[in-house]
Amino acid sequence: MRMFYKFFITILMLTILTGCGTTKTSLRPDAKAQINKIALIKVSEPEVYVAQDFGNIGMMFGAAGAAAAGGSSASAGKSVASVTAEANYKAGNRFTNQLVRKLTASGYQVKLVSVRRKDKTELLENYDAVIKAVGSDAVLDIAIESIGYATEHPMLSPHWRPASQVHVAMVDSRTGQKIYTEKFMYGYHNPFMSGTDIEAPENYHLDSTEELFASDEKLFKGLDHSVDAVVGQIANTLKK
């Protein structure tokens, strides 16, 4: 019981530090019907691709255990960050290209816009400059809070799976108001955090750290699916 209590407190603190999520705002059909031109803000590349070992038993034992958990992936001689850096993998670029393809296929005119962000993991606070610069019906903003691989629970779900947390917002250019917001949680799920859960297919689940780094190709395929699954959800929401 004492061990479980320590684990619960650790996860609760991680949740508080990470944030509780984003309240979803559903896109109304009448608002969608008035959108034909979308200004898509190019999706920023994440600062780092993470390997979050929440399933390590060491997470139950406070700071010392957490340090041991963090060291488990390093012992393999590789990290998700080093593998992606060496291959110049770009999740933001894939997000942007896939969204352009999907939205164009749905009949939208899409114009790409570049902006500077104070924090790449967060949505913009204000869209006035984008609205003034681009003649569009709406602005679509995507922010990757985190992306990489994660385990979930030392007993119930200790295996690795691709994981990402992604924020989405669409702003009406006429009013400047957000007409659609959502946070997606792919792969890793936490009952204390709100968001739209997307399951990672079992063929992307990996039993050990060694298996995670055994094949760079398989690692990248998992990351690709993490991006594509979120893009698919966004495109489905915006589909006319």
Side-chain angles (χ1 to χ4, degrees):
M1 179 61 72
R2 187 175 180 180
M3 183 181 294
F4 175 79
Y5 178 74
K6 287 184 177 181
F7 174 73
F8 177 82
I9 293 298
T10 300
I11 294 300
L12 182 59
M13 289 303 296
L14 286 170
T15 301
I16 292 172
L17 291 172
T18 305
C20 295
T22 302
T23 302
K24 178 179 178 179
T25 302
S26 297
L27 181 61
R28 301 192 318 271
D30 60 313
K32 186 195 302 186
Q34 298 181 53
I35 300 172
N36 294 299
K37 299 179 181 179
I38 296 177
L40 172 62
I41 299 175
K42 292 182 180 178
V43 183
S44 298
E45 300 298 337
E47 295 287 352
V48 65
Y49 292 83
V50 300
Q52 297 174 304
D53 198 357
F54 298 117
N56 191 300
I57 194 70
M59 292 294 288
M60 290 186 174
F61 299 101
S72 63
S73 60
S75 65
K78 285 186 175 182
S79 69
V80 175
S82 66
V83 172
T84 51
E86 185 176 348
N88 197 28
Y89 181 85
K90 296 184 179 296
N93 190 54
R94 187 177 183 88
F95 257 113
T96 301
N97 292 338
Q98 292 287 72
L99 280 166
V100 170
R101 184 177 67 83
K102 290 275 190 179
L103 294 175
T104 302
S106 290
Y108 291 103
Q109 297 179 44
V110 182
K111 182 171 183 178
L112 290 179
V113 183
S114 297
V115 301
R116 288 187 177 182
R117 298 179 186 270
K118 293 181 180 179
D119 187 341
K120 293 181 180 180
T121 67
E122 296 182 358
L123 297 167
L124 293 181
E125 295 180 359
N126 187 288
Y127 296 90
D128 289 347
V130 177
I131 292 172
K132 290 178 181 178
V134 184
S136 64
D137 302 315
V139 177
L140 182 60
D141 190 13
I142 317 291
I144 304 172
E145 181 178 329
S146 66
I147 185 168
Y149 277 77
T151 61
E152 200 169 77
H153 189 282
M155 291 175 285
L156 303 179
S157 188
H159 56 272
W160 291 95
R161 80 295 308 272
S164 63
Q165 297 184 51
V166 181
H167 298 271
V168 184
M170 174 168 271
V171 177
D172 188 322
S173 295
R174 297 168 303 166
T175 65
Q177 299 298 310
K178 289 181 179 178
I179 55 177
Y180 166 55
T181 60
E182 193 163 8
K183 177 181 179 180
F184 293 98
M185 295 185 66
Y186 174 97
Y188 169 77
H189 310 304
N190 187 324
F192 298 103
M193 300 173 70
S194 61
T196 300
D197 288 335
I198 304 175
E199 297 296 334
E202 289 189 6
N203 57 302
Y204 295 116
H205 290 198
L206 304 164
D207 291 331
S208 66
T209 303
E210 289 70 28
E211 188 178 355
L212 172 62
F213 296 112
S215 168
D216 290 357
E217 182 181 3
K218 190 169 184 178
L219 186 151
F220 290 131
K221 284 184 177 180
L223 292 176
D224 285 347
H225 193 275
S226 177
V227 172
D228 296 348
V230 175
V231 169
Q233 293 269 1
I234 298 170
N236 188 58
T237 296
L238 299 180
K239 187 175 182 180
K240 288 185 178 290

